[in-house]
Amino acid sequence: MPGRVPARASTASRLANKSSSQTLNSRRTTASPAIAIPDDGPSTSLRVRICSVFSDAQKSIAGHRKLAVSLRKVQEACCYEPSQRQKQAQMEHGEDDFNVEVARCVIRLMTVKKSEGAGDRIVRFLALFLKRASDQDAAVVSGAEVEDTQSFPETPSTRLTSHILSILIPFLASKEKVVRYRATQLVAHIINSLDSVDDDYYHMIRMGLLKRVRDKEAMIRVQAVLGLGRLAGNEGEEDQEDPDSDNDDANGLLQTLLEVLQNDPSADVRRSLLLNLPLTPTTLPFLLERARDVDPAIRRALYSRLLPALGDFRHLSLSMREKLLRWGLRDRDENVRKATGKLFRERWIEDCAGRPKADDGTETEQAAPPSLNGLLELLERIDVVNSAASNGIAAEAMKEFWLGRPDYRDAISFDDTFWDQLTPESIFVARSFNDFCKEGDDGRFEALGEEKMPEVTKLAFFLQRYTNTLVNSIRNNDTLSENEQEDTVEKEFIVEQLLHIAKALDYTDEIGRRKMFALLRETLAIAELPEDITRLVVDVLRGVCGSEREFCGIILEAVAEVHDNVMTEELKAEGDESFHSARSELSNDTMPTKSKGNEDNSEIDETKAIKEIMINMKCLHIAQCMLENVGEDLQQNVHLVTMLNNLVVPAVRSHEAPIRERGLLCLGLCCLLDKALAEENLTLFLHCFTKGHDALQVSALHVLCDILSTHPDLVTADHVDPALKKSVYRIFSKGLKASHAPEVQSVATAALCKLMLTSVIRDEELLKQLVILFFDPACKENAAITQALSYFLPVFSHSKRENMKAMAAIAAGVVHTQINLADELDEEEEAIGVNVVGNMLVDWTDPRKLVIPGVASAGWDEAGGKGVMGVDGEIHLSLADSLLERALSPGCSREERKVLLSMSGKIYVSPNASTEKLQAVTDLFAEAIDAKIAPDATTRNGLNKVHQALTKALGEAGKVQPSIEDQAVGQGMADGPTVPGQGSDAEATKMEVDDDQATQAQETLLDELLDEEDENS
């Protein structure tokens, strides 16, 4: 199609006049550009055709391609010479007219709100049209013309794009957020739809979008980062082509976007950047760390969209693969976990197994057939030896794999060749498959597991073979090279996985059970066996043995055999050494000197002492594993009593620290089986915490927590020695203050939370310490403390009425302490606002959030719901009483008084309280209002509002139903005696409230209130 010579002079002058007028306006005033709709003028056929196209485009996106073709025909008619003479009539409209009419429609788009879908459809249509027109114009321009210009080729579409951008760029700084949004959105779509933009407009767009990245409206920032992501991608590609270039502008743009990705408060902005930033070595770490984003949609987008598009996962580092799997599979959001499992079983396995290739050698989109070698490589790529540990992620990943790949479940085969050539990866495949079949989907795949896994007898032979190989390697470890020592680690892993498989097998086959029993009994007596394998052997042996008494007897026999075997080897070695020494003395006919004999004896004694320590540690470890697998009373099992007297007690009295510490752990496990033994040794564990080092203190806290949880009567019974009870409380108080030892502090916090939730420990001072510790900025770095208290404090307060009352009693003291701590902090440390502390304390003591056992279906309405349920009004009244008493005291500072009065103005007032309590709190509020101690109008209004509510409640007192807890307790007492428990009376009864009686009580209350209003009127 021959091109028409455009009237460049008129077009250039028109653009020049327009730009100069804008420059003058910008100098004359600083106001942002506003939308000024140009005069329409007389209607033309060109305007009708263009408006008709845009009118149809805003209705639906289904016909956008057809409409783009129609609009392109109009553009060609205006910009190119027609080839037929009969179309000369179309030449009455030129290229400038077409551009003006399209720009006229674009200007009208600027005022369309985001909620209008027609605006988004017009934007998409315009971007599609510019893309199509640019491609067609580029096909018309010959390669010779591009080489002659050596610059951006000028076509009708590029001139139209430049004309639209010249109109949009000033609107990026408009005061109207709708205008800024539509201008930014359209500019971003134009950038993403075109392959190139004129250099002058490129820099103007870049500067305008960078300013919109800091816009206060999140929807505008989203569109800005969509456009800048494309610009950053182009600049990043140029830098990769020229590594020696020093492009500061590109680096600055990329750094700005990475900063927005990390710090922007809007999840939509971060998600847009995650999906639009270029994948380069610079940006990849920042993109992958979004796996820990607070928004679940962003985390899901990373696993479902970014990582599959990343390419071969083997380019990632080993630590990053493990982190991505662990973060994704243990995410709190179910959709993120599903996306991670799908990524692992569909995308990563395909990278290892390889896709089928077509005839030309290229990979097809079809899924690869099941490949055992690919699965083994996948496990090798995630370092299964380390990731399959107790806290590793490999087991969870393989569970998702077997669940979503039925083709691999059916194709996998564990024949004799498989078991004869075990590797860490192959044995883990077998172990994970067996666990999945035993535990998955309510035993639906149990038959499949029994079909593919070997029987018990055959597995016992395999276990014996690899155990013997491991023991030989361990005994010759000193003579092995570094590679052979690594092989020993892999052999140990293989034996561990075989024991995990044996642990899940069915031992109804008596022949197989006897074979496995004999093998485990023999294996347990091997002194060189690693501790992890020893623990697994004991666990499997517990399942093989019938009763606990038989199990304990077998373990004690193994302990005695371990001790006797090692001692026999030592005596034999000493005899050989004595024989050789005597022969040496006779042959040399000389006597050794005294000093040389003393040195030899000291070395022998030291070696013997170390050997004895190792023997005792091994025996104690076996005993510890046994105690973790028994649950019957200690005194009823003669084997346990024998073990306690002959092994544990001597270990506790030993002068060697390692033996003594392990003996204490065994003694603690024994105390769990016998209350009298626990009572006798409770003081011993308290002494260990007081005098021990950090590791011993942690062990003592664990033991104390377990003992008190198992035998709560040791501190809750009436006959308990007050000194002992005080010592226990003092230990936990000291542990909470151990800021120099974060592990001790976190363990003490978790243990105390457990004991207070179960009502084993009830102490307001310890509760106050926990609340202060939660708000302490020094504990911000200790995630274990923060996580434990974030769960404990609201659950503790809302679970029982007594707990909520205890929280109300310490509230004023907590506020006073927080204010004092805030004054003592350094300038660098940032404390939590006291108002935030006060709001949380009011929320934790809100009686409407109290969970009442037996009536979980009941609730309150937004206003406090006395028509739904009677609320205990005593709790917040007690809180207000303590707050106002402190605020009216002369020693209260101005800042503290302000916080206390603000908290008092937020309490919930219910008439379900005693008249005396209501009257006392009302008098306190009246005194506070009369004293004019409120520092501002907001606080005074809050006090007046609560005072009015109290006055109203006083008039209603005695006419409302009792609280729902009292109803439950009363019904329980009427039905008969109850068994006393550890909690409150309301919790111990566990009786449900009759719905009919509750409804009748509500209707009676409503009738009384209506009658009272009629009498007053």
Side-chain angles (χ1 to χ4, degrees):
M1 182 182 295
R4 177 190 299 171
V5 179
R8 295 295 299 154
S10 60
T11 304
S13 61
R14 185 181 304 178
L15 293 175
N17 293 334
K18 183 173 183 179
S19 62
S20 62
S21 62
Q22 291 175 353
T23 304
L24 291 175
N25 292 335
S26 62
R27 291 178 180 176
R28 184 166 52 249
T29 177
T30 58
S32 301
I35 294 296
I37 304 297
D39 185 14
D40 289 341
S43 178
T44 62
S45 60
L46 177 63
R47 178 180 299 175
V48 171
R49 296 183 64 184
I50 294 177
C51 291
S52 174
V53 170
F54 275 90
S55 176
D56 294 339
Q58 70 181 348
K59 297 177 181 178
S60 174
I61 63 174
H64 276 188
R65 293 185 180 274
K66 185 177 180 180
L67 293 173
V69 173
S70 301
L71 189 59
R72 174 61 181 174
K73 291 180 180 179
V74 176
Q75 184 187 26
E76 290 177 352
C78 296
C79 301
Y80 293 96
E81 293 183 359
S83 58
Q84 300 179 4
R85 293 183 177 274
Q86 60 267 27
K87 295 184 179 181
Q88 292 292 333
Q90 296 181 1
M91 295 183 58
E92 61 182 9
H93 301 294
E95 177 183 346
D96 294 339
D97 298 326
F98 178 83
N99 293 348
V100 168
E101 292 299 330
V102 173
R104 175 177 168 273
C105 296
V106 171
I107 291 177
R108 280 162 173 77
L109 173 67
M110 294 297 100
T111 57
V112 179
K113 294 183 179 180
K114 181 175 183 281
S115 58
E116 294 290 339
D120 295 335
R121 289 190 284 271
I122 289 294
V123 170
R124 295 182 61 178
F125 168 73
L126 188 59
L128 175 64
F129 167 72
L130 292 177
K131 172 67 174 176
R132 185 182 185 90
S134 298
D135 293 342
Q136 293 181 358
D137 285 344
V140 172
V141 177
S142 63
E145 295 178 2
V146 176
E147 292 179 359
D148 292 340
T149 57
Q150 293 294 329
S151 62
F152 183 72
E154 198 170 287
T155 62
S157 296
T158 59
R159 290 190 289 270
L160 174 62
T161 303
S162 300
H163 182 60
I164 294 176
L165 290 176
S166 66
I167 296 175
L168 293 177
I169 290 174
F171 291 143
L172 293 176
S174 174
K175 285 185 176 181
E176 298 293 333
K177 65 179 181 180
V178 176
V179 177
R180 294 199 310 274
Y181 169 71
R182 288 301 180 187
T184 308
Q185 182 189 28
L186 190 51
V187 169
H189 274 72
I190 291 175
I191 292 174
N192 284 281
S193 61
L194 300 181
D195 295 331
S196 57
V197 181
D198 187 73
D199 290 341
D200 295 336
Y201 288 105
Y202 174 86
H203 292 290
M204 296 172 64
I205 291 171
R206 184 177 183 276
M207 184 179 301
L209 293 181
L210 278 175
K211 292 180 179 179
R212 290 309 99 213
V213 167
R214 308 298 182 186
D215 199 283
K216 63 181 180 180
E217 298 294 336
M219 62 180 183
I220 299 176
R221 298 200 301 273
V222 169
Q223 300 301 324
V225 299
L226 287 176
L228 290 175
R230 175 66 185 276
L231 300 183
N234 293 338
E235 293 176 353
E237 292 175 0
E238 294 175 1
D239 292 342
Q240 291 179 2
E241 295 174 0
D242 186 8
D244 297 331
S245 65
D246 186 12
N247 194 343
D248 294 336
D249 293 340
N251 293 333
L253 173 59
L254 198 57
Q255 291 300 325
T256 300
L257 293 179
L258 292 177
E259 180 185 356
V260 172
L261 176 65
Q262 289 182 308
N263 302 314
D264 196 283
S266 173
D268 293 334
V269 176
R270 300 196 304 274
R271 184 173 182 272
S272 299
L273 270 177
L274 176 70
L275 300 176
N276 289 277
L277 272 179
L279 295 174
T280 64
T282 304
T283 61
L284 189 58
F286 295 91
L287 295 174
L288 295 181
E289 73 178 8
R290 289 302 95 200
R292 307 299 286 169
D293 198 281
V294 296
D295 185 68
I298 295 178
R299 303 195 299 271
R300 184 171 65 252
L302 174 73
Y303 286 100
S304 61
R305 297 184 60 180
L306 179 67
L307 288 178
L310 187 60
D312 198 331
F313 80 100
R314 291 173 287 190
H315 295 152
L316 298 174
S317 64
L318 177 61
S319 61
M320 184 53 67
R321 297 174 212 154
E322 193 272 336
K323 287 180 180 178
L324 288 173
L325 276 180
R326 185 175 72 251
W327 293 341
L329 292 176
R330 295 178 180 174
D331 196 277
R332 68 176 68 93
D333 188 82
E334 183 181 1
N335 293 325
V336 178
R337 296 195 297 271
K338 290 181 179 179
T340 309
K342 184 177 180 181
L343 173 73
F344 179 78
R345 66 175 177 258
E346 294 183 6
R347 187 66 180 87
W348 286 14
I349 186 63
E350 296 296 333
D351 293 338
C352 296
R355 295 181 181 273
K357 293 185 178 181
D359 296 337
D360 56 355
T362 59
E363 292 185 351
T364 62
E365 295 297 328
Q366 298 178 358
S371 171
L372 179 60
N373 293 331
L375 181 56
L376 297 180
E377 182 184 354
L378 176 60
L379 292 175
E380 183 182 359
R381 296 292 182 179
I382 63 174
D383 190 16
V384 69
V385 176
N386 294 318
S387 62
S390 58
N391 196 33
I393 197 61
E396 300 174 36
M398 287 304 298
K399 181 180 179 181
E400 293 292 332
F401 180 85
W402 295 119
L403 184 63
R405 294 303 298 261
D407 52 342
Y408 273 84
R409 291 200 307 261
D410 298 335
I412 197 72
S413 175
F414 303 111
D415 51 12
D416 293 341
T417 305
F418 176 88
W419 295 103
D420 291 337
Q421 301 174 358
L422 287 180
T423 62
E425 292 77 22
S426 61
I427 185 58
F428 189 75
V429 169
R431 180 258 173 113
S432 61
F433 180 80
N434 183 69
D435 291 346
F436 171 77
C437 293
K438 296 293 183 181
E439 302 172 1
D441 288 351
D442 300 329
R444 184 161 58 98
F445 301 104
E446 190 170 354
L448 180 64
E450 293 178 356
E451 175 187 351
K452 293 183 177 293
M453 296 302 294
E455 59 271 14
V456 178
T457 305
K458 183 178 291 188
L459 184 67
F461 280 109
F462 293 139
L463 177 59
Q464 184 177 14
R465 179 200 307 174
Y466 287 101
T467 303
N468 294 336
T469 305
L470 172 64
V471 172
N472 293 333
S473 299
I474 293 176
R475 289 173 177 172
N476 301 325
N477 194 33
D478 296 337
T479 61
L480 298 179
S481 62
E482 184 176 353
N483 293 333
E484 291 174 337
Q485 291 178 359
E486 293 180 358
D487 292 341
T488 302
V489 176
E490 294 183 355
K491 293 175 183 177
E492 181 180 344
F493 179 80
I494 292 174
V495 175
E496 289 179 1
Q497 303 310 307
L498 285 171
L499 288 170
H500 278 294
I501 296 175
K503 188 178 179 180
L505 292 181
D506 183 10
Y507 290 99
T508 55
D509 179 15
E510 184 62 23
I511 298 177
R513 190 193 72 84
R514 291 181 180 180
K515 174 61 180 176
M516 185 65 72
F517 174 81
L519 173 62
L520 296 175
R521 173 65 182 81
E522 180 183 352
T523 304
L524 191 60
I526 301 176
E528 295 85 1
L529 207 64
E531 289 191 352
D532 292 337
I533 295 181
T534 302
R535 183 182 300 276
L536 287 172
V537 169
V538 175
D539 292 344
V540 178
L541 193 59
R542 178 65 190 91
V544 173
C545 294
S547 62
E548 285 191 1
R549 190 179 298 268
E550 177 188 2
F551 169 68
C552 295
I554 296 299
I555 296 297
L556 288 185
E557 290 178 6
V559 170
E561 188 172 345
V562 169
H563 189 274
D564 294 342
N565 289 341
V566 177
M567 294 304 296
T568 302
E569 293 177 0
E570 287 188 356
L571 292 175
K572 183 177 179 181
E574 290 178 0
D576 294 340
E577 290 177 0
S578 301
F579 175 73
H580 289 300
S581 178
R583 292 192 58 182
S584 178
E585 291 173 5
L586 291 174
S587 62
N588 294 331
D589 197 18
T590 57
M591 295 296 292
T593 60
K594 185 176 180 180
S595 60
K596 184 177 180 180
N598 292 336
E599 291 177 0
D600 294 341
N601 292 333
S602 62
E603 292 178 0
I604 293 174
D605 293 341
E606 182 179 357
T607 304
K608 185 177 180 180
I610 295 175
K611 193 70 173 179
E612 186 177 354
I613 292 175
M614 298 301 295
I615 296 171
N616 292 328
M617 292 289 290
K618 178 68 176 179
C619 296
L620 287 171
H621 180 259
I622 297 176
Q624 178 183 344
C625 297
M626 178 194 67
L627 291 170
E628 292 173 354
N629 285 276
V630 297
E632 66 180 20
D633 187 74
L634 180 71
Q635 300 299 330
Q636 302 298 326
N637 193 328
V638 65
H639 300 294
L640 294 179
V641 176
T642 303
M643 182 269 304
L644 174 65
N645 296 329
N646 297 335
L647 183 63
V648 176
V649 174
V652 174
R653 296 174 179 174
S654 175
H655 296 288
E656 302 295 338
I659 297 178
R660 186 168 60 249
E661 292 175 11
R662 183 158 288 182
L664 286 171
L665 288 178
C666 293
L667 181 61
L669 292 171
C670 292
C671 291
L672 300 181
L673 304 176
D674 187 71
K675 181 180 177 181
L677 184 65
E679 187 174 4
E680 292 174 2
N681 294 280
L682 191 61
T683 308
L684 173 63
F685 295 111
L686 297 177
H687 178 76
C688 291
F689 179 86
T690 306
K691 301 297 182 181
H693 50 82
D694 292 349
L696 186 58
Q697 287 181 338
V698 171
S699 300
L701 285 172
H702 283 305
V703 172
L704 285 172
C705 180
D706 292 341
I707 290 177
L708 294 179
S709 299
T710 308
H711 310 295
D713 293 344
L714 295 178
V715 291
T716 59
D718 297 334
H719 58 80
V720 175
D721 185 8
L724 177 62
K725 190 175 183 179
K726 186 176 180 181
S727 299
V728 173
Y729 290 178
R730 189 186 301 113
I731 289 298
F732 285 104
S733 177
K734 185 178 179 181
L736 295 178
K737 297 176 182 177
S739 57
H740 62 281
E743 186 178 4
V744 175
Q745 193 177 25
S746 60
V747 171
T749 302
L752 185 58
C753 291
K754 294 176 184 177
L755 295 175
M756 296 192 78
L757 275 177
T758 54
S759 300
V760 176
I761 291 181
R762 297 180 181 180
D763 185 73
E764 292 185 359
E765 284 300 321
L766 289 177
L767 178 61
K768 182 179 177 181
Q769 278 188 256
L770 287 175
V771 176
I772 294 174
L773 188 65
F774 178 65
F775 296 113
D776 190 356
C779 296
K780 182 173 59 176
E781 302 298 331
N782 197 330
I785 293 179
T786 304
Q787 184 177 12
L789 293 178
S790 298
Y791 172 81
F792 164 74
L793 290 174
V795 172
F796 173 81
S797 301
H798 300 153
S799 58
K800 294 181 182 179
R801 180 162 49 174
E802 290 77 9
N803 297 345
M804 191 171 284
K805 288 182 177 179
M807 186 66 71
I810 66 170
V814 170
V815 172
H816 177 73
T817 305
Q818 283 298 117
I819 292 177
N820 293 338
L821 289 177
D823 296 337
E824 298 174 0
L825 291 178
D826 299 334
E827 296 180 357
E828 300 177 355
E829 297 180 340
E830 184 179 357
I832 299 178
V834 186
N835 289 324
V836 176
V837 176
N839 292 336
M840 296 184 75
L841 289 171
V842 173
D843 179 74
W844 291 338
T845 55
D846 191 344
R848 291 169 293 182
K849 296 185 177 182
L850 185 63
V851 178
I852 304 167
V855 285
S857 60
W860 293 268
D861 58 15
E862 294 296 331
K866 65 183 179 183
V868 179
M869 176 187 294
V871 181
D872 185 5
E874 296 279 348
I875 299 175
H876 257 188
L877 292 180
S878 300
L879 174 65
D881 191 356
S882 61
L883 296 177
L884 291 177
E885 287 285 354
R886 176 61 188 170
L888 293 171
S889 62
C892 184
S893 63
R894 177 180 177 86
E895 182 181 2
E896 182 181 356
R897 182 179 291 111
K898 181 179 179 180
V899 177
L900 295 175
L901 294 178
S902 176
M903 293 172 62
S904 302
K906 298 175 183 178
I907 68 169
Y908 170 72
V909 179
S910 172
N912 285 333
S914 62
T915 307
E916 295 78 6
K917 191 69 174 180
L918 284 170
Q919 186 63 52
V921 176
T922 304
D923 295 341
L924 283 174
F925 271 92
E927 182 180 354
I929 294 173
D930 294 340
K932 298 181 180 180
I933 59 176
D936 50 37
T938 304
T939 308
R940 288 194 297 272
N941 293 337
L943 293 178
N944 290 326
K945 182 179 179 181
V946 176
H947 184 261
Q948 294 175 2
L950 286 169
T951 305
K952 182 179 179 180
L954 272 173
E956 299 176 358
K959 298 181 180 181
V960 296
Q961 60 178 348
S963 64
I964 197 68
E965 302 101 316
D966 297 335
Q967 293 181 14
V969 173
Q971 182 178 355
M973 294 178 64
D975 292 341
T978 58
V979 179
Q982 299 178 11
S984 62
D985 296 337
E987 184 183 16
T989 56
K990 306 281 186 182
M991 305 297 281
E992 295 185 356
V993 178
D994 187 20
D995 293 336
D996 296 335
Q997 295 179 0
T999 305
Q1000 183 178 0
Q1002 294 169 11
E1003 294 176 353
T1004 305
L1005 171 61
L1006 182 62
D1007 294 336
E1008 291 179 1
L1009 294 177
L1010 292 175
D1011 294 339
E1012 184 178 351
E1013 291 179 0
D1014 294 337
E1015 294 175 359
N1016 295 335
S1017 60

